[in-house]
Amino acid sequence: MHGLGLSRRTWDAVVPHLIGEREVIAIDLPGFGLSPDWPAGLRQDLPTTATVLGAAFTALGIEHPHVAGHSLGGLVGLGLGQAGLARSVTALAPAGFWNEAERRYAFAVLATARRISQTVPDGAAEWLSATAAGRAILAGMLYADPTQCPPGAVTACLRSLRESAGFDATLRAGRAHGLLSGQIPGIPLTIVWGTADRVLLPRQARRAIAMLPQAQLIWLPGCGHVPMNDAPELVADVILQATGPDVAVPRADADATASYTKQGASAEHMAGDSDPGDDDM
C-alpha cells in the first residue's frame, strides 16, 4: 500500500524482486490511482479503511495476507493488523507517529509537492525530469538522492499527486489525534525507516516502537522517505524476511533493532537508543 498522493505504481521497482518468492497484490487506496474516491458521508478513519480493505480481500479471495505499506499505507497496514485482518505487517515510515510540529511540517511538505504537481505541466515535468538537477528540484524531499531516481518515476509521482482525488480529504483526516491507539497483539510487526527521511523524520520510529514494543525496527541507511526508489532490492529483502514462513512474533520486551546495509542487506543487532541522523535535525 502506497503513501499519500501516490499510487500502487510506487512499488514498481520493488515488485520484480518479490514475485519470484511471493504472490504480490499492489492496490490503490480509495481516492488514489485508479480507485474511486470515498463515497460521500463515509468516515475516513482507520477502522473504516480497514473494513473497506477487508471487503477487498474477500473479493480477491484472500484471507489474512501479509501486508506492507508505506507512509499512509504503513499506517493503514497497522490498522489492518489491529483489526485482525493481516498475518503480518511491514510498515515503512508509517504516518501518525509525529508530534504536532512534525505533523505540520510533513503536511506542508506534501501540500507543496501537490501544488508543484498542479502547476508544472506534463511537458515541463518530463523536460525537468530528464536532468539530475531537475529531478532534485521536483523530488528532492522524497528521495535521498533524486538524481539517481529514474525520470519516469519522478513524472509518474507528480502525475499521481496531481490526479489524487482523495488527497485533500485524507490530509484533513490526518489532523486527528491518536490515529492509531492500542496494541497489535499476535502478529509479527516490522517498522522500517530510512535514516535520510526528510518528510517523516527518523526520530518518529522510536515513538512507533514505544507504542508497539513487540515490533522489530529496521533502519535503512541513506534512504529517504520513499525507499522503494532509493533501494528497491533492499526494501524487497526486508519484506521477504518479514514475511517468511518461520517469522515469529517477537516478545513485547525485546529490543530488536536491526540495520541493513545497502551493499549486502545483512542484518546486525545494534545497541543503544540513539536515532540515526538525530544530530542533523
Side-chain angles (χ1 to χ4, degrees):
M1 295 173 290
H2 57 81
L4 178 66
L6 302 177
S7 75
R8 69 189 189 282
R9 302 299 304 273
T10 309
W11 294 93
D12 280 359
V14 176
V15 169
H17 303 290
L18 296 174
I19 55 177
E21 303 289 337
R22 303 286 186 274
E23 179 182 2
V24 180
I25 299 173
I27 65 172
D28 288 327
L29 294 171
F32 301 97
L34 298 179
S35 291
D37 202 0
W38 290 86
L42 191 63
R43 185 179 179 87
Q44 291 193 37
D45 58 16
L46 210 52
T48 304
T49 304
T51 299
V52 169
L53 290 177
F57 295 163
T58 299
L60 290 168
I62 57 178
E63 184 177 356
H64 292 92
H66 296 286
V67 298
H70 163 248
S71 197
L72 169 64
L75 175 63
V76 171
L78 293 172
L80 287 168
Q82 199 164 59
L85 296 172
R87 185 174 304 177
S88 72
V89 178
T90 305
L92 287 73
F97 295 99
W98 44 52
N99 60 31
E100 182 59 18
E102 291 165 351
R103 182 197 67 77
R104 289 177 179 271
Y105 162 76
F107 281 24
V109 170
L110 294 170
T112 299
R114 165 87 156 172
R115 285 194 293 272
I116 291 173
S117 74
Q118 292 171 326
T119 55
V120 178
D122 276 344
E126 291 176 3
W127 180 78
L128 285 169
S129 297
T131 68
R135 293 194 291 278
I137 292 170
L138 293 174
M141 292 298 289
L142 297 179
Y143 309 117
D145 186 1
T147 64
Q148 300 300 313
C149 188
V154 174
T155 54
C157 175
L158 290 175
R159 189 176 303 111
S160 179
L161 277 165
R162 183 177 64 244
E163 296 175 355
S164 293
F167 185 94
D168 294 332
T170 303
L171 204 64
R172 287 193 297 271
R175 296 172 183 162
H177 293 287
L179 295 175
L180 181 77
S181 59
Q183 296 292 307
I184 306 176
I187 63 171
L189 300 178
T190 305
I191 304 295
V192 186
W193 228 285
T195 61
D197 194 328
R198 292 188 285 267
V199 180
L200 298 181
L201 304 181
R203 64 171 68 102
Q204 296 171 32
R206 289 296 177 184
R207 297 191 194 117
I209 293 299
M211 179 181 291
L212 305 168
Q214 82 274 29
Q216 180 185 33
L217 172 59
I218 293 177
W219 296 110
L220 302 181
C223 286
H225 184 59
V226 188
M228 298 87 78
N229 279 102
D230 284 327
E233 292 185 49
L234 176 58
V235 171
D237 184 69
V238 169
I239 293 173
L240 289 173
Q241 292 198 36
T243 59
D246 299 325
V247 173
V249 181
R251 299 193 324 273
D253 60 349
D255 181 12
T257 302
S259 174
Y260 280 71
T261 64
K262 281 190 176 183
Q263 293 77 16
S266 60
E268 61 180 5
H269 290 284
M270 299 169 59
D273 293 327
S274 60
D275 292 339
D278 262 2
D279 293 341
D280 300 325
M281 298 176 196

